[in-house]
């Protein structure tokens, strides 16, 4: 029978019950008096018990929680009578005893009816104020959560970002280690610190006793601390007073001593140690100058010289050595084997072994260029010269070896000698000729190139280089010879064209380029249109605009069908504009306008290009040409007049408009309005009023009447403006803008009823015009008719469904009248109906609390990423969080995406005024003036105000910026 030995007898440190299940009913710690406890994980996250406000005081009684439920049964009578406590200390004057005095009595039908009636009364009282109490409690809860948000709400945006974490990033998260009793589990290794030399020297005489008295120094007293204090004493105190003092072992005291000293001089010890170190470094240094196995300056810190530089370990290096040795022995005439062996030893840090391998390979394979090049690289320059000499003897036709030999020479004359010897061996090498020419003076280089083109007649670079160094006449001869030797290269022809342009022979340039095209076609050379257009760009960069124009004229029509010419040429002009080749762009537009002189799209592109990149004269010239070619397009006349007016040439601007009147027979509405604008800007109001009268007579239109009424309104003549509006309505009753002007004029006259009639009449004629509805609602709001205004908004939304402007006005209206709950409800419905509206999402972001704006902005960007309103709201959000760099980036995105939105410029300028520099603010002003924005709620409220009717764009921007509040 086998005997089982308990584990506790085998291993004394291991308890026999470890790993066994606990007995039934076992509670840890009960034997020593411990009690149970509850951890945080059992009760959930920590929250204040007073976290939520309590419900209102009015509420159903415990018995009335459910009227249909049976009343609680009374407690059974106890025999001992201990169930009730009738102590006076338990008595309250209002509520009596804590227990029921009648709990022992039987519960009959009358008691049940009484309880039911009381419960119904409590329920009825509770229902009377239930809605108001629940609403108040809900507001208290929302206010409490807004003031004291949960921790989870602060991490909502971070939790959203977890969706973007990849599986690799998730796997890369380090595991949480076991940090319990780390110090005990990972005991520190015992450390030994070397004892300094000063401590050793101080304790040399520790424990020794002196039995003699030095007459010169007095009594020598050894201290346990290692200091020897020489105290003057005895009869020689007066004579030896100057010799007394304290002498510290290891350092020589300034006070002379007559006796012998056994202290150590640590300075000499350090000098000796440095000398020994220097000797060791000298011994390990290599005999070659400049090459050393160990870096003397970084001997103690830089140990890279003895560490293999390869990615593998030493075992891999040994395996590679064995394989390469087998390859060398099997095929000793195989150069890559010797090169690989040398490189392996070089990376392993054994430079001398690598040199031996490579030199052995050179001896066995003398005609291998790669072996010689590696041998030169591995050896210092002094040995490299001798090696390269043997190399060129063995491989006299290797261009790389001759170039390496030239590089190893330090003196310029020696370099020239080497290259000339190389050219004697390899006269057809273009690389050697280039290297030799680069070392010579211009005159000697010209002589060398003359010989080079004879030896390398197929090298275009040599011919062109020689032509650049020759005079004009000789250059022409050189290029002619080059064309004879290389008839298929276009660069020679283009160089000839540039040569003629530099000499002023502009008529010859077109002829040379045309002849080049025909010659190349005869020699069956494919004419690549893209390559020639790139040559045109190169010619412009080389300051040869005539050559550039000639190339484009001869090439631009190659391979392009007639129906594709216009689109192709416009695309070419755009590509040239991106490369800033403006001469090429003008040439393309000139050819296109000559081919399609009546195409307005080409004229528009050419005029836009000159406005952006051309000078004032060039811009005016293209506009004049456009007016002459297509005089029926009145926009070009207006552009020309505006250009001259902006540049303070008012007389020429008036003459331009007079010419336009003659061409259009005084029937153009735009020209009449432009003429009135010039007179208004020059303060000629009477002249402008007369022009308006002529315009109404000769070119009557609703817009002319509206502009005239607006002009009188801005001057303060509200009665005249009202009369003009009413006359316009009689003639053009379907023009909605006249109703807008009339309503605002009547509002200024404090005629609320008349303004309401004007807006209502306009809505009947034009129910789809949203500004009429909005102005009517705001009029009712100013008049105090809140309910009427709300009804008008509902009616407007019914007639114009899915209109974000109306929904936005509804939300803002509820906010203005003090109904934030209604505003949130309107916003929720608006986002459901118009989920792609940037205006609504931008407003929704700022309706949220500080902790919810980030999440709302993320939702907004997902719905409408490229909407300027959302970009402005996001930029303002970053601004409120003081993320200056991000806010500036988003403002730039907003103004670039929609330069017509003036609100973006106003917010951007307000931001730069606080956080930007002067040049940043100037940049915003400049871009805004260039863009001339017209839209935006804030921008239009300032620009369309009659007070600001003559202000410039820059002034309007400043006024709008002043109304921007810093986001918080």
């Amino acid at each position: 029978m086998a005997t089982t030995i308990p584990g506790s007898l085998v291993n004394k440190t291991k308890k026999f019950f470890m790993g066994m299940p606990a007995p039934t009913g076992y509670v840890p710690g009960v034997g020593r008096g411990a009690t149970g406890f509850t951890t945080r994980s059992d009760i959930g996250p920590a929250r204040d018990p007073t976290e939520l406000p309590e419900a209102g005081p009015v509420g159903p009684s415990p018995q009335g929680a459910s009227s249909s439920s049976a009343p609680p049964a009374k407690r059974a009578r106890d025999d001992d009578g201990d169930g009730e406590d009738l102590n006076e200390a338990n008595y309250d004057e209002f509520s009596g005893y804590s227990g029921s005095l009648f709990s022992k009595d039987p519960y009959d039908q009358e008691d049940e009816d009484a309880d039911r009636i009381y419960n119904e009364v409590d329920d009825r009282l509770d229902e009377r104020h239930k809605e108001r109490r629940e609403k108040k409690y809900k507001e208290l809860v929302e206010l409490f959560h807004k003031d004291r948000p949960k921790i989870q709400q602060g991490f909502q945006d971070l939790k959203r970002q977890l969706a973007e974490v990849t599986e690799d990033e998730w796997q890369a998260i380090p595991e949480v280690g076991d940090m319990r009793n780390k110090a005990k589990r990972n005991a520190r290794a015992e450390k030994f610190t070397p004892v300094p030399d000063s401590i050793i020297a101080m304790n040399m005489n520790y424990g020794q006793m002196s039995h003699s008295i030095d007459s010169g120094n007095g009594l020598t007293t050894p201290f346990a601390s290692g200091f020897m204090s020489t105290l003057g004493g005895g009869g020689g105190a007066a004579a030896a007073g100057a010799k007394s003092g304290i002498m510290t072992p290891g350092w020589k005291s300034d006070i002379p001593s007559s006796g012998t000293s056994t202290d150590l001089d640590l300075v000499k010890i350090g000098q000796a140690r440095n000398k020994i170190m220097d000797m060791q470094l000298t011994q390990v240094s290599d005999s070659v100058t400049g090459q050393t196995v160990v870096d003397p300056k970084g001997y103690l810190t830089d140990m890279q010289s003895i560490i293999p530089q390869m990615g593998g370990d030493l075992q891999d290096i040994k395996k590679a050595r064995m394989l390469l040795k087998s390859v060398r022995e099997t095929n000793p005439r195989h150069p890559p084997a010797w090169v690989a062996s040398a490189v392996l030893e070089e990376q392993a840090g054994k430079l001398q072994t690598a040199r031996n391998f490579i030199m052995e390979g050179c001896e066995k394979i003398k005609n291998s260029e790669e072996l010689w090049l590696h041998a030169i690289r591995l050896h210092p320059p002094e040995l490299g010269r001798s090696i390269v000499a043997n190399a060129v003897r063995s491989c006299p036709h290797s261009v790389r070896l001759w170039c390496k030999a030239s590089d190893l020479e330090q003196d310029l004359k020696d370099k020239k000698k080497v290259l000339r010897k190389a050219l004697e061996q390899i006269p057809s090498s273009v690389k050697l000729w280039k290297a030799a020419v680069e070392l010579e003076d211009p005159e000697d280089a010209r002589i060398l190139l003359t010989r080079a083109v004879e030896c390398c007649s197929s090298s275009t670079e040599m011919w062109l280089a020689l032509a650049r160094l020759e005079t004009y006449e000789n250059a022409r001869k050189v290029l002619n010879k080059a064309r004879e030797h290389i008839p298929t290269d276009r660069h020679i022809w283009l160089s000839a064209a540039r040569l003629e342009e530099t000499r002023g022979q502009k008529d010859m340039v077109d002829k040379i380029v045309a002849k080049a095209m025909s010659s190349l076609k005869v020699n069956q050379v494919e004419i690549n249109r893209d390559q020639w257009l790139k040559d045109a760009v190169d010619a412009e960069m080389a300051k040869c605009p005539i050559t550039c124009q000639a190339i484009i004229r001869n090439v631009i029509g190659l391979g392009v069908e007639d129906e594709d010419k216009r689109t192709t040429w416009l695309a070419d002009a755009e590509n040239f504009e991106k490369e800033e080749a403006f001469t090429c762009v003008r040439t393309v537009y000139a050819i296109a306008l000559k081919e399609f002189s009546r195409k307005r799209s080409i004229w528009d592109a050419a005029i836009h290009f000159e406005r952006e990149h051309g000078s004032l004269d060039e811009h005016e010239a293209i506009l004049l040409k456009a007016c002459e070619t297509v005089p029926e397009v009145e926009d070009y006349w207006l552009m020309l007049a505006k250009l001259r007016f902006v540049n303070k040439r008012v007389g020429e601007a008036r003459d331009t408009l007079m010419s336009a009147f003659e061409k259009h027979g005084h029937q153009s509405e735009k020209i009449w309005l432009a003429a009135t604008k010039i007179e208004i800007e020059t303060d000629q109001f009477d002249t402008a009023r007369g022009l308006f009268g002529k315009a109404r007579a000769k070119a009557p239109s609703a817009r002319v009447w509206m502009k005239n009424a607006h002009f009188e309104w801005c001057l303060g003549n509200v009665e005249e403006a009202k009369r003009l509006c009413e006359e316009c309505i009689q003639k053009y009753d379907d023009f909605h803008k006249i109703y807008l002007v009339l309503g605002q004029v009547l509002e200024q006259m404090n005629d609320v009823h008349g303004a309401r009639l004007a807006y209502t009449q306009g809505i009947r004629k034009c129910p789809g015009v949203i500004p009429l509805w909005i102005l009517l609602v705001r009029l009712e709001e100013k008049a105090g008719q809140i309910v009427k205004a709300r009804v008008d908004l509902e009616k407007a939304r019914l007639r114009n469904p899915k209109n974000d402007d109306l929904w936005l006005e509804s939300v803002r209206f509820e906010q203005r009248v003090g109904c934030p709950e209604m505003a949130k409800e309107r916003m929720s419905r608006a986002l459901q109906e118009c989920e792609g509206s940037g205006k609504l999402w931008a407003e929704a972001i700022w309706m949220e609390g500080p902790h919810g704006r980030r999440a709302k902005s993320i939702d907004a960007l997902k719905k409408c990423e490229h909407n300027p309103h959302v970009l402005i709201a996001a930029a303002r959000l970053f601004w409120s969080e003081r993320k200056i760099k991000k806010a500036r980036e988003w403002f730039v995105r907003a103004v670039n995406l929609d330069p017509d939105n003036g609100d973006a410029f106003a917010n951007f300028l307000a931001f730069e005024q606080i956080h930007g520099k002067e040049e940043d603010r100037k940049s915003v002003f400049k871009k805004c003036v260039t863009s001339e924005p017209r839209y935006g709620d804030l921008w239009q409220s300032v620009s369309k105000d009659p007070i600001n009717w003559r202000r410039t764009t820059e002034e309007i921007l400043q006024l709008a910026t002043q109304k921007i509040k810093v986001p918080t």
Side-chain angles (χ1 to χ4, degrees):
M1 179 177 180
T3 303
T4 303
I5 301 175
S8 60
L9 299 179
V10 177
N11 189 358
K12 295 295 183 181
T13 61
K14 184 177 180 181
K15 305 299 181 182
F16 70 93
F17 54 81
M18 297 298 291
M20 297 176 61
T24 306
Y26 170 73
V27 178
V30 172
R32 60 178 185 274
T35 59
F37 58 90
T38 304
T39 62
R40 176 65 61 195
S41 61
D42 297 326
I43 62 176
R47 297 291 291 175
D48 193 348
T50 61
E51 176 180 65
L52 293 176
E54 296 182 356
V58 180
S61 61
Q63 289 82 4
S66 178
S67 59
S68 61
S69 61
K74 289 189 176 182
R75 194 174 46 165
R77 184 187 300 274
D78 297 334
D79 296 336
D80 54 357
D82 295 334
E84 56 182 334
D85 186 5
L86 302 180
N87 191 1
E88 294 298 329
N90 199 27
Y91 177 76
D92 183 74
E93 184 177 358
F94 178 76
S95 59
Y97 292 95
S98 61
S100 176
L101 294 175
F102 307 100
S103 60
K104 297 181 180 180
D105 296 335
Y107 189 82
D108 52 12
Q109 184 64 31
E110 294 181 356
D111 295 333
E112 183 178 354
D113 294 339
D115 289 338
R116 179 176 52 79
I117 293 170
Y118 276 113
N119 290 337
E120 291 177 357
V121 171
D122 290 339
D123 293 342
R124 182 64 179 270
L125 291 175
D126 179 62
E127 290 178 356
R128 289 176 60 184
H129 305 287
K130 181 178 180 181
E131 182 178 356
R132 185 178 65 182
R133 186 178 64 254
E134 289 180 352
K135 181 179 180 182
K136 184 177 180 180
Y137 179 70
K138 184 178 179 182
E139 292 177 355
L140 290 174
V141 172
E142 290 181 355
L143 181 62
F144 181 81
H145 283 309
K146 185 176 181 181
D147 295 338
R148 297 179 58 188
K150 294 183 179 180
I151 298 177
Q152 294 90 332
Q153 295 178 357
F155 291 93
Q156 284 182 355
D157 55 339
L158 299 178
K159 289 181 179 179
R160 290 172 182 269
Q161 296 178 5
L162 289 177
E164 302 175 359
V165 177
T166 62
E167 184 177 357
D168 296 337
E169 293 176 346
W170 183 265
Q171 295 296 334
I173 299 177
E175 296 291 340
V176 180
D178 188 5
M179 303 301 294
R180 298 174 299 173
N181 299 328
K182 182 178 179 181
K184 294 182 180 179
R185 291 186 288 103
N186 300 327
R188 294 184 178 179
E190 190 174 0
K191 294 183 179 180
F192 297 95
T193 304
V195 181
D197 295 341
S198 59
I199 302 299
I200 298 174
M202 290 167 60
N203 289 275
M204 285 183 62
N205 296 328
Y206 179 77
Q208 296 183 6
M209 299 297 292
S210 177
H211 302 283
S212 62
I213 298 175
D214 191 352
S215 60
N217 293 334
L219 181 63
T220 304
T221 304
F223 291 93
S225 62
F227 289 94
M228 298 173 63
S229 179
T230 311
L231 305 177
K243 299 180 181 180
S244 63
I246 297 177
M247 184 168 62
T248 303
W251 299 92
K252 289 192 173 183
S253 178
D254 292 337
I255 303 174
S257 177
S258 59
T260 60
S261 177
T262 58
D263 57 352
L264 298 176
D265 190 351
L266 297 183
V267 176
K268 290 185 178 180
I269 291 176
Q271 293 176 354
R273 183 169 55 188
N274 293 339
K275 188 173 183 180
I276 293 173
M277 183 74 68
D278 185 54
M279 293 173 61
Q280 291 177 352
L281 292 173
T282 304
Q283 291 176 2
V284 299
S285 297
D286 200 342
S287 59
V288 181
T289 303
Q291 299 288 334
T292 177
V293 179
V294 180
D295 184 11
K297 296 182 180 180
Y299 178 68
L300 298 178
T301 57
D302 188 8
M303 303 300 291
Q304 296 298 325
S305 57
I306 62 174
I307 298 177
Q309 300 296 322
M310 296 181 63
D313 55 7
L314 295 176
Q315 294 297 328
D316 295 336
I317 295 176
K318 291 180 180 179
K319 292 180 182 178
R321 284 174 179 157
M322 295 176 61
L323 291 174
L324 291 174
K325 181 179 179 182
S326 175
V327 173
R328 293 195 307 271
E329 292 176 353
T330 304
N331 188 3
R333 305 279 304 169
H334 188 56
W338 297 98
V339 173
S341 301
V343 172
L344 176 65
E345 298 300 336
E346 180 187 9
Q347 293 182 351
K350 296 185 177 182
L351 185 60
Q352 189 58 44
T353 307
R355 293 171 180 171
N356 295 336
F357 274 129
I358 204 70
M359 292 308 298
E360 184 179 354
C362 291
E363 291 176 1
K364 293 185 177 181
I365 316 171
K366 294 186 177 181
N367 59 349
S368 175
E369 183 183 54
E370 289 294 330
L371 281 175
W372 287 111
L373 289 173
H374 279 279
I376 297 168
R377 182 181 62 82
L378 291 174
H379 286 79
E382 290 79 2
L383 293 177
R385 293 190 187 95
S386 60
I387 294 174
V388 77
N390 295 328
V392 295
R393 292 193 193 99
S394 302
C395 305
H397 297 287
S398 174
V399 177
R400 297 170 63 189
L401 287 176
W402 283 108
C403 292
K404 192 65 177 177
S406 174
D407 294 338
L408 290 176
E409 298 295 339
Q410 301 296 329
D411 190 12
L412 183 61
K413 293 183 179 179
D414 295 336
K415 288 179 178 290
K416 293 180 180 179
K417 290 179 181 179
V418 171
L419 289 174
R420 289 180 180 178
K421 288 182 180 178
L423 289 173
E424 291 177 0
Q425 298 291 334
I426 320 172
S428 60
S429 173
V430 178
K431 186 175 181 180
L432 289 176
W433 281 109
K434 286 182 180 180
V437 169
E438 289 176 356
L439 299 177
E440 300 292 344
D441 297 331
E443 184 62 28
D444 296 335
R446 185 181 60 81
I447 298 173
L448 275 179
L449 286 171
T450 305
R451 175 60 180 164
V453 295
E454 295 177 0
C455 298
C456 307
S457 59
S458 61
S459 174
T460 305
E461 297 181 28
M462 293 296 176
W463 286 105
L464 297 180
L466 178 59
R468 284 192 293 267
L469 294 177
E470 292 285 358
T471 60
Y472 171 67
E473 296 296 335
N474 292 333
R476 294 182 65 181
K477 296 178 181 179
V478 169
L479 291 175
N480 289 331
K481 291 182 180 179
R483 286 199 297 267
E484 294 175 1
H485 287 87
I486 316 172
T488 58
D489 197 322
R490 70 182 188 280
H491 294 95
I492 299 175
W493 292 95
L494 297 179
S495 298
R498 292 186 189 181
L499 177 64
E500 297 296 337
E501 182 178 357
T502 56
R503 294 293 296 179
Q505 304 293 333
K506 299 180 180 180
D507 298 336
M508 294 292 295
V509 175
D510 277 320
K511 297 179 180 179
I512 292 175
V513 174
K515 189 175 181 181
M517 301 286 292
S518 59
S519 176
L520 292 174
K521 289 179 181 178
V522 169
N523 288 281
Q524 298 181 354
V525 177
E526 181 183 0
I527 307 298
N528 192 321
R529 183 175 182 273
D530 295 335
Q531 290 181 354
W532 281 84
L533 292 179
K534 191 176 183 305
D535 292 335
V537 176
D538 296 337
E540 180 178 353
M541 299 304 171
K543 309 298 182 183
C544 298
I546 299 176
T547 304
C548 165
Q549 296 171 2
I551 293 173
I552 292 177
R553 281 194 294 268
N554 286 275
V555 175
I556 195 169
L558 289 177
V560 182
E561 300 293 336
D562 292 340
E563 59 270 14
D564 298 333
K565 283 185 177 180
R566 184 168 60 90
T567 56
T568 304
W569 291 352
L570 289 177
D572 292 336
E574 291 179 1
N575 294 332
F576 285 138
E577 186 176 356
K578 292 178 181 178
E579 297 181 13
E580 297 184 356
F582 298 147
T583 303
C584 297
V585 177
R586 291 188 177 95
T587 306
V588 172
Y589 280 137
I591 297 172
L593 290 173
K594 186 177 181 181
E595 183 80 13
F596 306 100
S597 59
R598 309 293 298 178
K599 290 292 183 180
R600 185 172 177 178
S601 59
I602 301 178
W603 282 109
D604 290 341
I607 292 170
H608 180 268
F609 169 76
E610 294 297 347
R611 181 171 64 248
E612 295 293 330
H613 304 287
S615 62
L616 179 62
D617 295 336
E618 291 171 337
H619 189 194
E620 186 175 357
I622 192 69
L623 285 173
L624 280 171
K625 189 175 181 181
C627 292
E628 293 174 359
T629 307
V630 280
E632 66 275 5
V633 182
E634 58 187 15
D635 290 343
Y636 299 151
W637 294 99
L638 297 176
M639 290 180 185
L640 181 59
K642 182 179 179 180
L643 178 66
R644 291 175 172 176
F645 177 76
V646 170
N647 291 278
K648 311 299 181 183
R649 296 154 58 186
V650 181
E652 296 182 12
R654 288 195 180 103
D655 295 339
T656 303
L657 293 179
M658 290 299 296
S659 301
F661 277 132
E662 294 175 359
K663 296 291 183 180
H664 292 270
H666 299 277
Q667 299 296 320
S668 174
E669 167 196 308
K670 293 182 179 180
I671 298 176
W672 278 110
L673 294 179
T676 57
K677 187 174 182 180
I678 290 177
E679 302 303 331
I680 292 172
E681 293 294 334
T682 55
D683 296 336
Q684 302 295 326
F685 297 141
D686 295 335
T687 307
R689 190 175 285 113
L691 289 175
F692 271 122
K694 293 180 180 179
R696 293 199 307 271
K698 295 183 179 181
S701 67
R703 192 160 180 263
V704 171
W705 287 89
M706 187 269 296
K707 287 289 185 180
N708 194 359
H710 186 270
F711 168 69
E712 298 294 345
W713 177 32
C714 293
L715 290 179
N717 303 325
V718 290
E719 292 292 342
E720 181 66 18
K722 177 183 176 183
R723 184 187 65 81
L724 290 171
C725 289
E726 292 174 350
E727 291 180 3
C728 179
I729 291 174
Q730 294 175 1
K731 296 183 178 182
Y732 310 98
D733 59 349
D734 58 346
F735 184 60
H736 67 277
K737 289 187 177 181
I738 199 66
Y739 294 103
L740 295 173
V741 175
L742 178 58
Q744 294 178 79
V745 169
L746 293 174
E747 281 189 55
Q748 186 173 342
M749 298 172 64
N750 296 323
D751 187 359
V752 178
H753 179 68
R756 184 184 292 113
L757 289 177
Y759 293 141
T760 307
Q761 185 180 359
I763 289 172
R764 290 197 190 100
K765 295 292 183 180
C766 311
V769 178
I770 307 304
L772 285 171
W773 289 101
I774 294 176
L775 287 177
L776 178 60
V777 170
R778 293 178 181 175
L779 176 65
E780 299 293 353
E781 182 183 354
K782 289 179 182 178
Q785 302 293 330
I786 304 301
V787 178
K788 180 69 168 59
R790 189 178 282 114
V791 170
D792 290 338
L793 276 173
E794 292 288 343
K795 191 184 300 182
R797 293 200 303 271
L798 289 174
R799 294 190 181 182
N800 302 278
K802 296 185 178 181
N803 189 281
D804 55 350
D805 291 326
L806 288 174
W807 279 111
L808 181 61
E809 182 63 24
S810 300
V811 173
R812 292 177 177 175
F813 170 77
E814 299 297 343
Q815 290 178 334
R816 291 196 298 265
V817 299
C819 298
E821 294 297 329
M822 291 288 291
K824 291 182 179 179
E825 186 268 339
R826 294 285 191 275
M827 179 58 71
S828 176
R829 291 172 55 191
L831 291 178
Q832 291 177 1
E833 189 170 336
C834 309
E835 61 177 353
S837 173
K839 294 181 180 180
L840 293 175
W841 280 109
E843 187 74 16
I845 292 173
W846 290 100
M847 289 179 65
E848 295 290 332
H851 297 282
R853 291 173 186 168
R854 176 64 66 85
K856 184 65 73 173
S857 65
I858 294 174
D859 295 338
L861 289 172
K862 288 181 180 178
K863 294 293 183 181
C864 38
E865 180 180 0
H866 301 291
N867 189 280
H869 302 281
V870 176
L871 296 181
I872 295 171
R876 287 178 59 84
L877 180 60
F878 287 125
W879 185 7
S880 65
E881 296 175 354
R882 297 301 179 265
K883 296 180 179 179
I884 308 303
K885 186 177 180 180
K886 278 191 174 182
R888 181 175 286 109
E889 291 176 356
W890 284 77
F891 275 127
V892 170
R893 287 180 59 186
V895 297
N896 290 336
L897 181 63
D898 187 9
D900 283 340
N901 192 335
D903 291 355
F905 287 102
N907 282 275
F908 195 10
L909 181 60
F911 169 79
E912 294 294 354
Q913 286 179 347
I914 299 176
H915 302 287
K917 300 178 182 179
E918 184 63 28
E919 53 267 23
D920 298 330
R921 292 188 282 272
K922 289 182 179 178
S923 175
V924 176
F925 274 116
K926 182 179 179 181
K927 188 172 182 60
C928 181
V929 172
T930 305
S931 301
E932 294 183 355
R934 297 175 295 169
Y935 304 107
D937 296 338
L938 178 61
W939 183 268
Q940 289 187 342
S941 67
V942 176
S943 62
K944 293 185 178 296
D945 192 339
I947 302 175
N948 306 321
W949 72 296
R950 297 189 63 193
R951 294 188 181 274
T952 61
T953 303
E954 186 173 352
E955 293 172 344
I956 294 174
L957 177 60
Q958 291 177 343
L959 293 174
T961 304
Q962 293 175 1
K963 297 186 178 182
I964 299 294
K965 296 181 181 179
V966 178
T968 56

